[in-house]
Amino acid sequence: MILKRIRMLHLHLFRTFLYRQQNTMDLKMLLNDVNKPLQTLTSFYTTYVLPYVKRRSPQTFIAAAIAAFFSYQVYSFVRVPKSLRHIPAVPFWAYMRSALSEEGIDLRTRNVILPVLKNSPNGIYLRPNRFGWCVSVAGPSAMKTLLLRKDDFEKHQGIVLQPESLFSKFIGTQNIVALNGSVWKKHRMIANPAFHRSMPVKLFGRLCEKMMTQFEKEGDGINNVNVPMFLQRFTLDVIGLAAFGYDFEALDDPNNAKVGTYNAIMDGFRNPVFFFFPILEKRFLWALPKRRAVHKKMDDMNQIFYSIIENKRQTLANMKESAEDAEKDLLTLMLEANADSKDAGDRLSDSELRDDLAIFFLAGHDTTSNALSFALYHLAVNPKIQEKARKEVIEVLGDGDDIVYPNASQCSDMKYIYMVMKETLRLEPPAQNTTLRLNKEDFELAGTFIPKGSSVSADIYVMHHNPSIWKDPEAFIPERFAPGGESESKAGNGLFWVPFGNGARQCIGMNFSLAEQKVLLSMMLRKFTWTLADNSINKDGIVLGGGTGIISPKDLHLKFSKRF
């Protein structure tokens, strides 16, 4: 009862503070102030909150309100629930300090997580999440059980139940990633044929050619190419055209309004403050003008989604598409599959189509662009591997100064390129971990008891970098994935490589992304050689951007040279 009254008082104080300070508050700075090591919550109240409230001066009143509010918010995070205390847990403050800073997942793994995993024989540990403490799985045997037994670990509905968040507004509440049971199966039945029929390698090639031409026109030309920036534009145009038949024109003009709207939304997703403190968007969005502006852009983006669906449906009704299936966009193929469903109950509504396409859009843009950026980096710093990959491309596509678009059959012949891609995805899987699963019943996972109702996640990055699992895990060795190599020798002992997940809930766009990567890498290897740009911050190893979720390189510039 006392704690409940304290909470009500603190919320009242915080609302008062927001009314007075809504135009000057810097939330990130405030969170950084709060994110200092605290001995206990009691000492925090005694030392900081109560003296300020007692004096009642305006400045100290504000400070007390802020401290009280945020200390209460982290209270549920700091203490590991009794039912989970048998599982090794990362130090809360060390983890949060890393997650809320500019520190990359590589440093967080090395300094905070791996020391804890030494005490976990099966790779299971606890880390903070926006919903409290999460059971993280970073061991091959436990990973296999988690990903293959979808009915025991269904998708967590926490994000769906927060429709006021920016992320939820983008992906919607009826998307194929978040759904479970028969409703998920209905979505999968419509989406599966679309992804099996769509493989627009001609589109990939045409946009890659345009991107390579832009290298020479912008900035310092090919001597200093901002690789992530160009690849973000390339993959945005790819997914816009391949998913919707919508041209963002990002390669032509990166500053146009369509690109600006989309980029503002993506930047909003990456803010760890709103990830770990979702109550800010739920209760206090009115006091955050910059965040409200991003939500307005999301409303604009939503209108674009629905208008595209309506226009596409009218186009299909009026004329028969002449394009071959492989080059049709996903929306066209999904609308065709929807129309072919004999039972109206098996068809998707416009809102369901919109939510699925938003997920495909999100998964197909940042993840693929970052995977390609990392692959180009590893080829830049490993010239012998780059030359070996180029030799294979020339054997498959021929050599010369002409532009050749690889077809699907030729992409399948690029075995060594595929090894390069797989090793890149091991070292830098686009997603740090999977979306949360929910443990439906008490369960023993690889010998560890997981109580009913626990949040569970596959920790992809940590498992891929665990020295107890991979030999010399920080080294770039594509031959790990050669026949008879390290990866093959692990077969049958669990799941060791899961950048796209696995099982029935494996990423539906995996083959789409892999084909896109093969087309771009092969075309660039045929036209250019490249190295790190002069004075690169990445000369001693790739520097990762901070935050949570998607992994990205920081300030990656490469120096290209034409082969002809």
Side-chain angles (χ1 to χ4, degrees), residues 309-378:
I309 292 172
E310 180 57 31
N311 291 337
K312 184 71 67 174
R313 179 177 279 111
Q314 291 179 5
T315 299
L316 289 175
N318 294 332
M319 59 182 289
K320 188 70 176 177
E321 289 279 350
S322 59
E324 55 185 291
D325 276 359
E327 296 295 326
K328 288 181 181 178
D329 61 74
L330 291 171
L331 177 56
T332 295
L333 293 170
M334 289 180 72
L335 286 171
E336 290 176 352
N338 220 29
D340 290 342
S341 297
K342 296 180 181 180
D343 188 342
D346 291 334
R347 296 172 192 157
L348 301 182
S349 66
D350 279 2
S351 63
E352 290 175 312
L353 283 167
R354 174 250 172 257
D355 290 358
D356 280 350
L357 287 163
I359 278 288
F360 302 152
F361 200 93
L362 184 64
H365 176 228
D366 269 1
T367 53
T368 301
S369 68
N370 288 326
L372 284 166
S373 293
F374 288 122
L376 292 177
Y377 163 80
H378 288 299

Side-chain angles (χ1 to χ4, degrees), residues 198-413:
S198 177
M199 193 56 66
V201 289
K202 293 179 183 176
L203 172 66
F204 301 157
R206 177 168 56 83
L207 291 176
C208 179
E209 180 184 10
K210 179 185 283 190
M211 183 191 73
M212 292 190 297
T213 300
Q214 290 298 109
F215 280 4
E216 301 181 58
K217 293 181 179 180
E218 298 184 22
D220 298 325
I222 62 175
N223 290 321
N224 188 18
V225 177
N226 184 342
V227 168
M229 180 269 290
F230 273 104
L231 289 172
Q232 287 278 329
R233 291 159 60 185
F234 164 75
T235 54
L236 182 57
D237 280 350
V238 165
I239 198 62
L241 290 166
F244 296 102
Y246 182 77
D247 193 355
F248 276 90
E249 302 176 286
L251 285 171
D252 294 316
D253 179 12
N255 299 313
N256 72 59
K258 295 179 287 188
V259 175
T261 295
Y262 180 76
N263 285 341
I265 295 168
M266 292 302 105
D267 289 342
F269 290 166
R270 298 185 187 102
N271 190 325
V273 171
F274 293 96
F275 176 83
F276 282 105
F277 297 94
I279 195 171
L280 294 172
E281 287 182 294
K282 183 176 182 178
R283 301 293 187 191
F284 305 112
L285 187 62
W286 54 267
L288 307 169
K290 291 183 179 179
R291 194 67 176 179
R292 284 203 313 274
V294 181
H295 277 257
K296 176 61 172 64
K297 289 184 181 294
M298 183 61 247
D299 293 338
D300 296 339
M301 191 76 189
N302 214 27
Q303 290 301 314
I304 292 174
F305 283 151
Y306 279 114
S307 65
I308 291 171
I309 292 172
E310 180 57 31
N311 291 337
K312 184 71 67 174
R313 179 177 279 111
Q314 291 179 5
T315 299
L316 289 175
N318 294 332
M319 59 182 289
K320 188 70 176 177
E321 289 279 350
S322 59
E324 55 185 291
D325 276 359
E327 296 295 326
K328 288 181 181 178
D329 61 74
L330 291 171
L331 177 56
T332 295
L333 293 170
M334 289 180 72
L335 286 171
E336 290 176 352
N338 220 29
D340 290 342
S341 297
K342 296 180 181 180
D343 188 342
D346 291 334
R347 296 172 192 157
L348 301 182
S349 66
D350 279 2
S351 63
E352 290 175 312
L353 283 167
R354 174 250 172 257
D355 290 358
D356 280 350
L357 287 163
I359 278 288
F360 302 152
F361 200 93
L362 184 64
H365 176 228
D366 269 1
T367 53
T368 301
S369 68
N370 288 326
L372 284 166
S373 293
F374 288 122
L376 292 177
Y377 163 80
H378 288 299
L379 291 172
V381 299
N382 295 280
K384 291 182 179 179
I385 295 175
Q386 182 183 149
E387 193 53 41
K388 186 175 180 179
R390 181 174 294 107
K391 182 179 179 181
E392 180 184 71
V393 169
I394 291 171
E395 288 175 354
V396 174
L397 301 180
D399 205 3
D401 61 356
D402 56 330
I403 295 293
V404 176
Y405 299 167
N407 58 39
S409 176
Q410 289 169 326
C411 286
S412 297
D413 291 336

Side-chain angles (χ1 to χ4, degrees), residues 113-146:
I113 298 174
L114 287 180
V116 173
L117 276 183
K118 290 181 179 178
N119 299 316
S120 175
N122 54 12
I124 295 175
Y125 73 101
L126 298 179
R127 61 177 170 82
N129 187 273
R130 65 190 298 166
F131 302 111
W133 284 89
C134 170
V135 178
S136 288
V137 175
S141 177
M143 185 73 71
K144 182 177 180 179
T145 302
L146 173 64

